[in-house]
Amino acid sequence: MKVVLENLTKIFPSRDKKAGKEVVAVNDFNFEIPDGKLIGLLGPSGCGKSTTLYMISGLQKPTSGKIFFGDDDVTELSTENRGIGLVFQNYALYPHMTVKQNILFPLQNLKGKDKLPKQEMLERAYEAARLVQIDDLMDRKPSELSGGQQQRVAIARALVKMPRVLLLDEPLSNLDARLRLQTREEIRRIQKETGITTVFVTHDQEEAMSISDMIVVMKLGVVQQIGAPQDVYDDPGNLFVAKFLGTPPINVLEGTVQDGKVYIGEDAVLNITGVEDQDVYIGIRPEGLEPAADGALVCHLNSLEVMGRDSSVVCTNEASLNPVIRAIINSDIKIDAASDVVRFDVKPHKFFLFNKETEERIRYEVN
Amino acid sequence: MSNVINSNSVMQAKDIHMISTGQKVRRILAKTGTYAFLLVMALIVLFPFYWMIISSLKELSEYRQAIPTFWPQKVMWGNYSKAFSQANLGDLFMNTLYVGVVSTILSLVITVLSAFAFARLEFKGKETLFGALLATMMLPGELFTITNYITVSDLGWMHTFTALIVPFLVSVFYIYLLRQNFMQIPNELYLAAKVDGTTDLKYLWKVMIPLALPTLISITILKMMGAWNSYIWPKLVANDAEHQMITNGLRNAFTDVSGQADIPVQMAAVAIVSAPLFMVFLFLRKYIMQGVSRSGIKG
């Protein structure tokens, strides 16, 4: 089932009426989620990603705009009639019910023609439980389960009624690091197996990039960029997106474009065409810096962190807006750690220019 | 060298041993103190019950002795059957039970629904209304007696069960108690239940009531006890034979024409009357204690 968001906007009235400042949580969101895909809504806290999710679920009403599931306009439909599954950040299992009762609960609430006979409900519950591998815990209470197991129960409960759309609100944030890795692969597997269109919200870019078919990067209620994770990473539309994606984060420096050359301080690092002379922000991915004996960019070497396959060169440059510049290089490339200075060449496809006022990307051609 | 180390470690071991002995003594002392205190308190609470029971088993003459006995010289089980027949206890029981059960059930329904509204629904003037309700708790109950009496007699409810039940159906205290309990139930459960397709009422029935069960049981017990023990109000509005409640029934049932009360028989009646409440408490105690674990919610 594809999900279409049309000019979706949510404005929260200000709590203090005299101050009169409303908060625009989501601003004019347009997006068509293709059928059967896993979409990651990504952004820092307060960017409106959870609000978007809650609007899709119907728990919050949009101020304006429309939501379609397939061709049905569900904007005015209440949550209980929307046929969605939602996994909450804190799982929200019913503490007084066993795992089995928790999973059965959505089925027991089906009305009219959707009502199932008892036997079929049980079968469906066990099927969902098997999918998330908790079918041996059916008679336990949530309090007797670990965090990861509770999480699975929550997913099973969301899946059991075969929702049209599955929504996950920060599903991994309460799990420890190891379980998080395992669970996110599990979510990916379950999503592939069921083919249910899934939207999940996270502030962890690594999490979003690793399992999503597409990611939506949001900031202050405004969608910044939508695309396949690798595309967004390789081709960020603005400085915010460039900074938000990637670990270690992108190196941001101040620079100028003059006579077809990009300058960082005194160093002319790249020849380009198609850009007027101006001051710019420069973003260079850590893997976009290549040490070279006669490299154009001269930095002060702080330290060299060897991590086996890769090494991390930590250095400084006066133009840098980050405290340090970090370059990830193949460990085969030898750097003289005793030296004060390290020189780099830049890889043009990892080297982005941004307008200093708007922070929008400036496209250029390499000369 | 090794000697030094050895003696050192022996010293340490000794120290540890001494510390643990000191702690042990202190712990035992603390425990003894606690139990002694609890024992004294329990005796103070239990003594009236004990006195009621031994008095109910005494002969009237023994009861009237200047120096009271701590155990009946002649055990008079007959007092109990006498109490039953003489005071028409059966009817009194039924009346009280009727008033108690009906008012408890109705009161629970009203309390649950209003607590739900105050805890979960959004409507205009919610806070003001709740504040006004709380304000009525500041007025002493005695103040209501006269106004309630006038209202009840105006409505023509004198000498009816209605007069015994209706005026006390709404208890602000219970609503407050339950509302606080409901408000502790995390919001996500409500949202989850919405996603799972429940209506508000179904959520109330399937999730909130089970989670607030200990509070509801406490309310039931308190309400039952209130009905069982009420004295002044029933005496005012419905003290006729058909509607008489147990407390009023006991008051004069054992007094003969000369104004002499047969106290042992009266005590036997009191013991009979107290028994159901005592059993209710014993039976439901574990439910009151039983906390409902909330660990389905993380974070």
Side-chain angles (χ1 to χ4, degrees), chain A residues 124-176:
Chain A
R124 291 260 295 264
Y126 271 94
E127 198 183 318
R130 265 194 298 278
L131 192 66
V132 295
Q133 296 162 358
I134 46 156
D135 45 323
D136 51 339
L137 304 172
M138 291 298 256
D139 294 319
R140 301 251 190 109
K141 287 268 178 75
S143 56
E144 297 161 343
L145 302 179
S146 71
Q149 289 167 332
Q150 292 186 18
Q151 164 73 297
R152 286 150 190 264
V153 177
I155 294 177
R157 186 179 66 181
L159 285 174
V160 72
K161 62 178 173 190
M162 317 258 176
R164 298 202 274 181
V165 181
L166 177 64
L167 307 169
L168 309 165
D169 185 9
E170 305 253 6
L172 307 176
S173 60
N174 277 325
L175 302 178
D176 62 52

Side-chain angles (χ1 to χ4, degrees), chain A residues 59 79-80 84 86 88 90-97 105-106 108-109 142-143 147 150 157 161, chain B residues 188-189 191-199 202 206-207 210-211 292-299:
Chain A
L59 291 172
T79 305
E80 53 265 43
I84 52 136
L86 177 55
F88 290 86
N90 55 14
Y91 318 142
L93 300 176
Y94 308 113
H96 58 296
M97 299 182 192
F105 193 62
Q108 287 162 344
N109 294 322
S143 56
Q150 292 186 18
R157 186 179 66 181
K161 62 178 173 190
Chain B
E188 275 83 1
L189 280 188
L191 300 180
K194 282 264 143 200
V195 171
D196 291 341
T198 60
T199 55
K202 194 160 184 188
K206 289 275 195 177
V207 179
L211 286 180
V292 171
S293 74
R294 289 252 153 71
S295 49
I297 288 288
K298 272 238 165 183

Side-chain angles (χ1 to χ4, degrees), chain B residues 16-88:
Chain B
I16 292 166
H17 186 69
M18 271 168 63
I19 290 167
S20 74
T21 321
Q23 272 179 341
K24 223 182 244 171
V25 169
R26 220 172 309 147
R27 207 175 303 152
I28 290 170
L29 276 179
K31 225 170 202 179
T32 316
T34 314
Y35 277 106
F37 177 74
L38 288 177
L39 197 70
V40 171
M41 283 305 167
L43 282 179
I44 292 174
V45 172
L46 289 177
F47 188 75
F49 284 98
Y50 168 73
W51 205 246
M52 171 182 82
I53 287 165
I54 57 160
S55 300
S56 73
L57 294 171
K58 285 177 185 174
E59 257 185 313
L60 184 59
S61 58
E62 187 189 343
Y63 179 81
R64 284 182 177 162
Q65 279 172 11
I67 302 157
T69 49
F70 278 81
W71 192 254
Q73 287 154 351
K74 188 180 165 205
V75 177
M76 298 283 290
W77 292 109
N79 285 347
Y80 279 80
S81 54
K82 211 163 147 193
F84 227 99
S85 55
Q86 203 175 329
N88 210 359

